[in-house]
Amino acid sequence: MTIRLPRSGVRARTTLIAVVVLTLALALANVMVIVLLSWSLDKATTQDARSAGRQVANELAKQGTRDLTPSDVASSGDAASMIQVLDANGVPVASDPAIVGYPALTPARPVPGQDVVETTTIRVNGSKQDYRLVVRGVNGPGGPYTVISARSLAPVTEASTRLTLLLGLAAVPMLAISAFAGYRAVGSALKPVEQMRRTVAEISTRDLSLRVGLPPGNDEVHRLATTLNSMLDRLASTQEAQRRFVADASHELRSPLNTITTALEVSEHHPETMSTGELLGVVSQETARLRELVDDLLLLARTDDATDNPVRTEVDLDDLAHAEAERARAGVKLRVEIRTEPAKVRGNAAQLRRAIRNLVDNAREHTHGQIRVCTYTMDGMAVVEVSDDGPGVPPADQERIFERFVRRDDSRQRRVGGSTGLGLAIVAGIAARHGGRARYVNVADEEYPGAHFRIELPLEVAA
């Protein structure tokens, strides 16, 4: 059985990361300090050995070993500092009392005037120690000679060890204090976020009027609060639009249902006032209105659904526009002008055909006798434009004409097969799903002084 430990929170993870980084930084700093100290002590030890050896070498250069006394090579009584003098054959002629009787400490024999620095291990007083040797060649009476000055490295090692222990002990409380301070600091920084979380948790789907407070400053937390409020504004706007949509849809559905119910009641209670044929005509007409409304609602739902990805292919907008214009021309006595230029886009042909058909049907519904259907390209966009010679759209309605269940005043007569108030909303939704837009344009055109609607879609780029 696998046991999964719960993930730690942001405060704990942030504090842990900070402590790890601080630990690495302290370790690096401590290593540098210890290395520098060891290097400095090592250099000083070598310099001390060289100085002591040169003093003896100067005496040998002047008088040889004739006046060389034991005190000249004797240390302070311990094995930390020792000197050994060798003759030309490498035999010790004078040695520190600690190493009397020892053979030569090193086989190095530098020429007179030169030094050789070595590190070796020597057993003195029953224990082995590392020594720094400075070997110097001397040319004097009875010479040449070799002076070996040795300095123990134990003080260097001991100092480095003590400093390492001291720095390690000092780092423990430093890390503990840093962890505590970091944990509190992160908690203080996240306090506004926790307040925002509590505020958002109190917001219900029925009331989206509550907003999170904006913390001072212009940092990431402030921008997060601003983003949350913007999201809540969008949710509230979407909720209000959804409520209006449901209310409008309910009203639209109620109207044909009321008409059918009234006709049935009249036929049942007053059969002499309505024949069976008249009843069937009313029911058939209102049922068609219901079917049209339901189909439009389903299509709008699909255009709003971001997960709905219909098959997209290369589509010739000019062919679709030409076909819909010919359909409008064949349906009623209407003058239809067709001006199509090649315009290729990538999209779903069925949806694009529905969008163009809605614009053509809208123009047919409001025209006085002629409409125009055009396709062309402009600024990297494929454009479908449908114009009519009707009353046009008042400036106050030109922005909201693409909203759902919005009708122009003259459309309330439902002259051409009725209107659900969703046709232009469907056009806008399909255009948006294809990366374009639908819009109303004001065009000074004497022949077509009415409405001018456009669908603008990105052109298909040739591979």
Side-chain angles (χ1 to χ4, degrees):
M1 182 178 67
T2 302
I3 300 177
R4 294 184 178 180
L5 298 177
R7 294 187 62 185
S8 57
V10 175
R11 295 178 68 180
R13 291 200 303 271
T14 304
T15 303
L16 178 61
I17 293 173
V19 170
V20 169
V21 172
L22 181 59
T23 302
L24 294 177
L26 286 176
L28 179 61
N30 291 347
V31 169
M32 293 180 62
V33 170
I34 294 171
V35 169
L36 289 175
L37 176 65
S38 299
W39 175 81
S40 178
L41 293 177
D42 187 89
K43 185 178 180 180
T45 300
T46 303
Q47 188 62 34
D48 288 344
R50 179 177 283 111
S51 298
R54 284 183 177 178
Q55 292 180 1
V56 175
N58 291 335
E59 293 295 328
L60 291 174
K62 294 178 181 178
Q63 303 178 7
T65 59
R66 183 184 57 183
D67 296 331
L68 189 64
T69 64
S71 61
D72 293 331
V73 295
S75 63
S76 58
D78 54 25
S81 176
M82 304 179 299
I83 294 178
Q84 187 180 57
V85 179
L86 309 178
D87 60 14
N89 298 320
V91 177
V93 294
S95 299
D96 187 277
I99 54 174
V100 171
Y102 278 52
L105 299 179
T106 175
R109 300 293 183 270
V111 298
Q114 291 187 353
D115 291 340
V116 173
V117 180
E118 294 182 352
T119 301
T120 187
T121 302
I122 304 174
R123 179 180 291 273
V124 180
N125 298 329
S127 63
K128 290 184 178 181
Q129 298 184 32
D130 290 333
Y131 283 83
R132 176 60 42 79
L133 304 183
V134 177
V135 185
R136 185 176 182 84
V138 181
N139 199 5
Y145 301 97
T146 301
V147 178
I148 304 174
S149 178
R151 289 291 184 274
S152 175
L153 294 175
V156 177
T157 304
E158 183 179 356
S160 299
T161 302
R162 289 182 178 180
L163 180 61
T164 301
L165 180 61
L166 178 63
L167 292 177
L169 293 176
V172 173
M174 289 178 59
L175 292 176
I177 295 173
S178 299
F180 177 76
Y183 190 81
R184 295 296 300 271
V186 174
S188 177
L190 292 177
K191 187 176 181 180
V193 178
E194 175 62 18
Q195 293 176 348
M196 284 186 275
R197 186 197 65 79
R198 293 177 180 176
T199 302
V200 173
E202 295 174 359
I203 298 176
S204 65
T205 56
R206 295 185 177 181
D207 183 13
L208 295 176
S209 60
L210 192 61
R211 296 293 180 269
V212 301
L214 295 178
N218 190 27
D219 55 5
E220 292 80 0
V221 179
H222 180 89
R223 292 194 290 272
L224 174 62
T226 303
T227 303
L228 284 176
N229 285 335
S230 299
M231 181 189 68
L232 291 172
D233 291 338
R234 293 193 298 271
L235 289 175
S237 177
T238 301
Q239 185 187 62
E240 181 62 26
Q242 184 180 23
R243 288 175 177 174
R244 290 197 308 267
F245 178 73
V246 172
D248 292 338
S250 300
H251 176 76
E252 294 293 331
L253 290 170
R254 186 183 297 113
S255 178
L257 289 175
N258 288 340
T259 302
I260 293 174
T261 302
T262 301
L264 292 174
E265 290 177 350
V266 170
S267 177
E268 179 183 1
H269 297 292
H270 303 282
E272 70 281 359
T273 62
M274 178 176 288
S275 64
T276 303
E278 291 175 336
L279 175 62
L280 291 176
V282 172
V283 173
S284 177
Q285 181 180 2
E286 296 304 320
T287 303
R289 287 179 56 195
L290 280 173
R291 184 184 301 108
E292 181 184 2
L293 179 58
V294 171
D295 290 342
D296 286 348
L297 289 174
L298 290 175
L299 181 56
L300 269 179
R302 285 196 296 270
T303 59
D304 289 341
D305 186 5
T307 62
D308 180 37
N309 296 312
V311 178
R312 297 194 177 195
T313 59
E314 186 180 88
V315 179
D316 292 313
L317 281 183
D318 51 309
D319 292 344
L320 297 181
H322 193 279
E324 291 303 317
E326 290 292 347
R327 182 186 63 86
R329 176 183 291 169
V332 295
K333 292 182 180 180
L334 185 68
R335 179 177 177 270
V336 180
E337 181 182 357
I338 304 175
R339 298 180 182 177
T340 56
E341 297 178 4
K344 292 183 181 294
V345 299
R346 188 165 190 82
N348 183 265
Q351 291 187 0
L352 294 175
R353 180 182 294 107
R354 177 60 184 274
I356 298 173
R357 176 173 296 182
N358 284 6
L359 288 187
V360 173
D361 288 346
N362 180 77
R364 289 174 55 196
E365 186 175 352
H366 300 91
T367 183
H368 292 318
Q370 61 178 6
I371 65 174
R372 180 177 62 199
V373 180
C374 303
T375 61
Y376 54 92
T377 59
M378 178 180 63
D379 298 331
M381 304 292 285
V383 180
V384 179
E385 182 175 320
V386 180
S387 308
D388 62 64
D389 61 349
V393 179
D397 295 333
Q398 291 177 4
E399 292 295 331
R400 57 187 294 268
I401 194 65
F402 289 99
E403 296 179 6
R404 298 168 183 183
F405 297 108
V406 173
R407 298 191 187 93
R408 292 149 63 180
D409 291 338
D410 60 336
S411 70
R412 298 184 185 276
Q413 300 175 4
R414 307 182 187 276
R415 293 178 294 166
V416 183
S419 173
T420 64
L422 296 175
L424 293 178
I426 291 174
V427 173
I430 292 175
R433 286 299 301 272
H434 286 75
R437 63 173 179 168
R439 65 191 184 105
Y440 181 89
V441 293
N442 291 300
V443 178
D445 192 328
E446 295 181 358
E447 188 175 2
Y448 297 92
H452 297 263
F453 289 94
R454 286 181 184 172
I455 300 176
E456 300 175 354
L457 302 174
L459 280 170
E460 170 73 355
V461 179

